[in-house]
C-alpha cells in the first residue's frame, strides 16, 4: 500500500508540478518586480523575503511536493506563510501570491485537518500583515475582513477538491495494482491450465496409439513364442503382424512429433481406417469384427478432422479394452448420424462388467476427456456375462 500511495503521489507530481512551477515562478517574478518598483523604504526586506521564498521552494518545497515527506512539507509551509506575511506587510500588492500559496499548502497536506489548519494560518497571517500595513484601524479591519473570509472559503473549497483528486488517484493506483495482480494470476492460471491440458492430451495420444501398439506387439510376441514351442506353425505370420504394428507405431510417434492428426486419417477415410483396425484386430485375436455404416461415405468424409480423430480414438480404446478384458468372440462397430449428432458404437459379446464399480484404468477416463472436449458424451452399457456397448455421441459442427 505504501508503494502504491507513493506511486500515486509521483503520478500527481509529474502531471501537475510543471504547471505549478510555471505559475509559481511567474507570480514570484511579478511580485519581485512590483516590490522593486514600489519605492517603499523597506522594499529590500520584501525583496529578501521573496528571494528566500523562491530558494526555499526550489530546494525544499518542490522536492516535498514530489515526496510529501512530513518534515520538509511542514518547514516549507512555515517559511511560505512567514515570507508572505513580510511581503504582504511591506508590499500589499504581493497579496495575489495567496493563490499559488493556498494550492501549495494543500498539495503538501497529509489530510483535511492539516490542510484546514495551514489554510487558516495562511489567511490569518496575510490578513494580519495587511492590517499592520494599513495601520491597525477598525476601518481597515472591516475592509480586510470580507477579503479574508472569501479567501479562506475559496482556499478550503480548492483544498478539499485537491484532496479528493489525490484520494481518487490513490484509489485508482490501488485498483490498477490489483488489476495487474489479477491479470498476472489469471495469466499464470491459464498457462498452468494449458500445460495440464496439453499433458493430458499427450497422455491420451500416447495411450491411444503407442501404448496400445506396444500391447499388441507384446501379445503377438507371446502368441508367436507359444506357436514356436508347438512346432513353429504360424510364427512367420505373427512376425509379419509384429512388424506391421511396429511400423504403424513408428509412424504414429513421428506424427505426434509433427502434429496431432493420426497418420492413418491423412492417408484414408475414417471408414477405411476403422475397417483396417477391425481386420487387424481380428487377425491378432481371432475375434470376428464387423464395421457397419449408417450414413453415406460422403457424410463421413465431410466430418471435421478433429471429430474423426475423436471417433477413431474411441474405437481404438474400446478395442484395446476388449482385447485385455472382454474375452469376446465378436465385435460390432457402427458409425452413424442422427439428430445432428455423429455416433460410433462398439458392442462386444464378452464377459462384461458392472458399470457401477469404479474403473481403475486410464483408458475409459481418457476417452471421456477427449470426447467431452469436443462437446460430446460417452455412454457405457454393460453387465457381467452380457457383453459391453460403448457409444460416443458428438454434435456435428456447423458447416460440416
Amino acid at each position: 500500500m505504501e508503494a502504491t500511495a507513493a506511486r500515486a503521489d509521483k503520478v500527481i507530481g509529474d502531471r501537475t508540478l510543471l504547471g505549478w512551477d510555471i505559475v509559481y515562478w511567474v507570480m514570484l517574478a511579478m511580485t519581485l518586480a512590483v516590490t522593486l518598483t514600489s519605492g517603499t523604504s523597506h522594499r529590500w526586506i520584501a525583496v529578501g523575503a521573496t528571494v528566500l521564498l523562491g530558494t526555499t521552494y526550489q530546494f525544499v518545497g518542490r522536492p516535498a511536493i514530489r515526496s510529501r515527506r512530513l518534515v520538509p512539507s511542514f518547514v516549507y509551509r512555515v517559511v511560505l506563510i512567514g515570507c508572505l506575511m513580510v511581503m504582504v506587510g511591506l508590499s500589499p500588492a504581493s497579496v495575489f501570491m495567496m493563490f499559488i500559496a493556498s494550492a501549495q499548502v494543500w498539495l503538501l497536506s497529509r489530510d483535511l485537518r492539516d490542510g484546514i489548519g495551514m489554510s487558516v494560518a495562511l489567511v490569518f497571517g496575510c490578513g494580519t500583515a495587511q492590517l499592520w500595513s494599513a495601520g491597525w484601524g477598525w476601518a481597515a479591519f472591516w475592509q480586510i475582513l470580507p477579503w479574508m473570509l472569501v479567501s479562506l472559503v475559496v482556499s478550503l473549497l480548492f483544498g478539499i477538491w485537491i484532496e479528493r483528486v489525490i484520494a481518487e488517484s490513490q484509489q485508482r493506483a490501488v485498483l490498477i495494482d490489483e488489476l495487474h495482480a489479477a491479470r498476472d494470476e489469471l495469466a499464470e492460471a491459464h498457462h498452468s491450465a494449458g500445460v495440464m491440458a496439453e499433458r493430458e492430451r499427450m497422455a491420451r495420444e500416447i495411450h491411444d496409439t503407442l501404448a496400445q501398439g506396444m500391447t499388441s506387439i507384446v501379445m503377438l510376441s507371446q502368441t508367436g513364442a507359444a506357436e514356436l514351442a508347438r512346432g513353429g506353425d504360424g510364427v512367420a505370420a505373427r512376425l509379419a503382424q509384429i512388424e506391421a504394428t511396429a511400423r504403424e507405431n513408428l509412424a504414429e510417434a513421428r506424427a505426434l512429433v509433427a502434429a496431432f492428426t493420426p497418420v492413418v486419417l491423412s492417408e484414408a477415410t475414417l471408414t477405411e481406417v476403422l475397417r483396417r483396425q477391425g481386420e487387424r484386430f481380428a487377425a491378432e485375436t481371432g475375434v470376428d469384427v464387423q464395421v457397419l455404416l449408417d450414413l453415406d461415405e460422403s457424410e463421413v468424409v465431410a466430418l471435421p478432422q478433429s471429430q474423426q480423430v475423436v471417433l477413431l480414438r474411441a474405437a481404438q480404446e474400446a478395442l484395446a479394452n476388449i482385447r485385455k478384458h472382454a474375452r469376446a468372440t465378436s465385435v460390432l462397430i457402427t458409425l452413424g448420424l442422427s439428430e445432428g449428432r455423429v455416433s460410433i458404437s462398439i458392442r462386444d459379446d464378452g464377459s462384461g462388467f458392472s458399470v457401477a464399480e469404479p474403473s481403475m484404468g486410464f483408458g475409459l477416463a481418457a476417452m471421456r476427456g477427449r470426447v467431452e472436449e469436443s462437446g460430446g458424451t460417452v455412454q457405457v452399457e454393460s453387465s457381467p456375462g452380457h457383453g459391453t456397448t460403448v457409444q460416443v455421441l458428438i454434435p456435428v459442427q456447423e458447416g460440416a
Side-chain angles (χ1 to χ4, degrees), residues 56-71:
T56 307
Y57 173 75
Q58 180 64 30
F59 296 103
V60 180
R62 194 170 185 273
I65 292 176
R66 284 183 175 276
S67 64
R68 298 185 71 182
R69 294 173 58 189
L70 178 60
V71 174

Side-chain angles (χ1 to χ4, degrees), residues 341-371:
R341 296 189 300 177
V342 61
S343 67
I344 188 168
S345 174
I346 304 95
R347 187 176 67 207
D348 67 77
D349 61 353
S351 57
F353 64 96
S354 175
V355 180
E357 295 181 0
S359 176
M360 300 300 293
F362 177 77
L364 189 57
M367 182 194 300
R368 290 187 187 277
R370 185 191 297 275
V371 173

Side-chain angles (χ1 to χ4, degrees), residues 235-294:
V235 173
R238 297 304 177 190
L239 289 175
Q241 292 173 350
I242 290 173
E243 180 183 358
T245 304
R247 288 184 181 278
E248 186 174 333
N249 255 27
L250 180 59
E252 288 289 355
R254 289 171 177 167
L256 284 175
V257 174
F260 290 112
T261 301
V263 174
V264 290
L265 283 181
S266 64
E267 299 174 348
T269 65
L270 176 60
T271 306
E272 293 172 347
V273 173
L274 288 175
R275 286 176 176 151
R276 291 178 188 173
Q277 293 283 327
E279 291 171 0
R280 194 180 74 179
F281 186 84
E284 293 174 358
T285 62
V287 176
D288 180 44
V289 180
Q290 298 293 326
V291 178
L292 296 181
L293 206 61
D294 283 349

Side-chain angles (χ1 to χ4, degrees), residues 95 98-99 102-103 105-106 112-127 144-161:
V95 73
M98 284 280 294
F99 168 76
S102 296
V105 163
W106 280 99
L112 282 175
R113 184 184 303 175
D114 184 23
I116 291 173
M118 283 293 181
S119 294
V120 171
L122 176 65
V123 173
F124 180 79
C126 290
I144 293 171
L145 182 61
W147 170 84
M148 291 177 61
L149 294 176
V150 171
S151 297
L152 181 60
V153 171
V154 172
S155 176
L156 293 179
L157 292 176
F158 182 71
I160 292 172
W161 174 74

